Amino acid sequence: MRFAVLCDDPTARPLVEALDSRIDGHQLRYVVQLGPKTSQPHQGLKSATIVSRWEDLLAANDVDVVLAGGNTEQMFEGVKQLATAGIPILFVPHASQGSTFIYELSLIRDDNHVALIPFLWHRFDAAAQHLKQLLRDGALGTIQFLQLERSVSQSPSSSPIAQAAVDLELLPDADLLRWLVGDYNQITALRTAATDQGVMMARVVLSGRSLPEANWVIAPAVRPAEWKLTVHGERGTALLSRADGATSFVCDFDGQHVEGHSHTTASGLLTAMESLIQRRDPSTTAAADDPWGDLVQCFETVDATHRSVRRKRTIELHFEPMSERAIFKTQMTAIGCGLLVATFLLTLCYLGIASVVPLPRGILIALRALVFAPLVIFLAAQILLPLTRPSSNDHPTPQPKV
């Protein structure tokens, strides 16, 4: 397949290098220059033609797939237009892109039946796949819990981690845990020593029905950043780790030592991508085999951690009760509609009775009061609405404009 690159995310560098070497017969044809060459994942490539605008990809007739990623306005607009034109997108997710942009791409996928393939590199790593097979075969017995610990190099180590960096690291790790274990839908987040500058430690607990609990922890460190996932089972403990700056994992269990390799990982990712593109309608993929749907849920998981911290409780995805303000407004709307209908019907009854039966003036006044008093009381109760205004801390985290 022939590729174009609309990406400045360094995490895509291993795949770009593999494409440049024509892995499995794939070709890298075009690269869109999004910024300084030194910051691009395509620095030093030999086989690609550099273009300055994403519009050039629409005019090209030799592009089968676009590798897209980053957080620039040019990338946002380019991806939406290229996907609308029916060009498959291999998408590199980044937490700063925001769930709003991901939802927009999902709508484009549903409308145009275009293939959107998330760049979930870890899913095709040999060591990660080995761990998944161990869990599937029950080699560890009943899983008790999972502990994923990672550190971020900070100098000094007492300096906090920016919240944006926490979200950046959580996004792929959340997908890895969901891919290994199952559909986590309950999120509890805690932040230690949180300030405007960041946090000294962040912890996220993922849980779900009949699933072992997964604990995700991030903290600053002076030493090289570490990443390790420990799976505790009744029959033993498996460790999946990754060295600082490495793109591949190492899995250790019961004397077995399995290492991943970026070349085989890239080959597996491209094979899975080809399979998805060849489907007649990629948007109707079964829920059990829908990597794009999994990516959407990972963005929702990151959003849920912010709500969990703000509300100081566990958040359940897709089943979040309405706020007190929303409940009040819903109830008042229903009551108001009922009173308007009731007042109209009672007015008709009053006019009918008053025109047929001669009644004393006092009784007529009493009937009028009974008809209109409930509506007047309801309208007066609307002054209570300002009392339900949410506090400033209840406003959702703003998403980047695209």
Side-chain angles (χ1 to χ4, degrees), residues 195-265:
T195 63
D196 293 338
Q197 288 72 38
V199 297
M200 291 305 301
M201 178 182 291
R203 178 185 299 271
V204 177
V205 180
L206 304 176
S207 56
R209 178 175 297 181
S210 302
L211 296 178
E213 186 176 275
N215 295 274
W216 183 87
V217 180
I218 188 171
V222 175
R223 61 184 185 277
E226 294 182 349
W227 189 103
K228 64 177 182 179
L229 169 63
T230 308
V231 182
H232 298 269
E234 287 183 336
R235 300 177 186 172
T237 300
L239 177 65
L240 186 69
S241 59
R242 184 177 63 203
D244 184 26
T247 58
S248 300
F249 295 103
V250 175
C251 181
D252 294 285
F253 172 70
D254 196 21
Q256 302 177 17
H257 183 81
V258 178
E259 296 185 11
H261 190 275
S262 61
H263 185 86
T264 56
T265 303

Side-chain angles (χ1 to χ4, degrees), residues 52-306:
S52 59
R53 305 182 309 156
W54 61 263
E55 290 87 349
D56 296 331
L57 303 182
L58 286 175
N61 57 5
D62 55 350
V63 174
D64 299 317
V65 183
V66 174
L67 171 63
N71 193 22
T72 64
E73 291 294 332
Q74 188 177 2
M75 190 282 298
F76 286 139
E77 183 63 25
V79 167
K80 290 188 288 187
Q81 295 299 328
L82 291 168
T84 302
I87 301 177
I89 304 294
L90 180 57
F91 183 74
V92 183
H94 194 285
S96 63
Q97 293 160 349
S99 55
T100 300
F101 177 63
I102 300 301
Y103 291 146
E104 288 184 37
L105 290 182
S106 298
L107 293 175
I108 294 174
R109 182 182 75 148
D110 294 339
D111 291 340
N112 297 277
H113 308 302
V114 64
L116 297 180
I117 307 98
F119 181 86
L120 302 175
W121 184 259
H122 48 266
R123 292 192 176 197
F124 304 95
D125 183 90
Q129 290 180 336
H130 178 68
L131 176 59
K132 184 176 178 67
Q133 189 63 43
L134 291 175
L135 298 177
R136 184 180 300 163
D137 296 341
L140 281 73
T142 302
I143 304 303
Q144 298 169 333
F145 71 98
L146 298 88
Q147 179 80 12
L148 200 163
E149 302 170 275
R150 68 182 309 157
S151 60
V152 176
S153 296
Q154 299 280 92
S155 182
S157 60
S158 59
S159 58
I161 307 173
Q163 185 57 50
V166 174
D167 295 343
L168 173 65
E169 306 295 353
L170 174 60
L171 184 67
D173 290 348
D175 178 76
L176 176 63
L177 292 171
R178 292 172 54 86
W179 174 68
L180 287 173
V181 181
D183 186 17
Y184 287 114
N185 58 3
Q186 295 179 340
I187 293 90
T188 307
L190 300 171
R191 296 173 186 168
T192 301
T195 63
D196 293 338
Q197 288 72 38
V199 297
M200 291 305 301
M201 178 182 291
R203 178 185 299 271
V204 177
V205 180
L206 304 176
S207 56
R209 178 175 297 181
S210 302
L211 296 178
E213 186 176 275
N215 295 274
W216 183 87
V217 180
I218 188 171
V222 175
R223 61 184 185 277
E226 294 182 349
W227 189 103
K228 64 177 182 179
L229 169 63
T230 308
V231 182
H232 298 269
E234 287 183 336
R235 300 177 186 172
T237 300
L239 177 65
L240 186 69
S241 59
R242 184 177 63 203
D244 184 26
T247 58
S248 300
F249 295 103
V250 175
C251 181
D252 294 285
F253 172 70
D254 196 21
Q256 302 177 17
H257 183 81
V258 178
E259 296 185 11
H261 190 275
S262 61
H263 185 86
T264 56
T265 303
S267 180
L269 173 62
L270 294 174
T271 300
M273 181 201 67
E274 283 185 297
S275 175
L276 185 60
I277 290 176
Q278 290 170 0
R279 294 177 183 174
R280 186 171 184 179
D281 184 359
S283 65
T284 58
T285 304
D289 185 25
D290 182 14
W292 185 261
D294 294 339
L295 178 65
V296 172
Q297 291 186 340
C298 289
F299 272 90
E300 292 174 346
T301 298
V302 174
D303 292 342
T305 62
H306 295 277

